[in-house]
Amino acid sequence: MPGPSGDGEEAQKLRDRARCVVYEMATRECDLMRDAIARDCRLESINVNLGRQYGGQQQEGFNVNGSMSLQITLK
């Protein structure tokens, strides 16, 4: 996610938004599972990692990675 990566308020907002993207993805994933194969879906765990990207050849911002564990009951 491109943007400021320092300690200021704008950088904090960008970090918050980056985490929200992963949380929203987890919500949509459960919805997709329910549509396709699951009668019920529950988020068991979620992990979000943010890494700062500095200038140079890369645009300043954050690299965001996330993983989730879902518990489903099949239809």
Side-chain angles (χ1 to χ4, degrees):
M1 297 188 79
S5 62
D7 295 326
E9 185 177 333
E10 289 302 312
Q12 182 60 49
K13 287 180 183 177
L14 184 60
R15 287 190 295 271
D16 292 347
R17 178 69 190 126
R19 287 193 309 275
C20 279
V21 166
V22 177
Y23 302 151
E24 290 166 0
M25 186 185 314
T27 300
R28 285 191 305 273
E29 192 67 25
C30 257
D31 291 341
L32 288 170
M33 296 288 267
R34 284 186 196 101
D35 287 345
I37 62 170
R39 181 178 45 208
D40 189 31
C41 179
R42 185 178 81 226
L43 179 64
E44 293 263 312
S45 67
I46 190 163
N47 183 33
V48 179
N49 294 307
L50 293 173
R52 285 185 179 180
Q53 291 181 173
Y54 299 101
Q57 293 182 349
Q58 295 180 339
Q59 187 174 13
E60 182 180 1
F62 293 96
N63 182 18
V64 185
N65 293 302
S67 63
M68 64 195 85
S69 175
L70 305 170
Q71 178 68 40
I72 67 166
T73 304
L74 294 175
K75 290 183 177 181

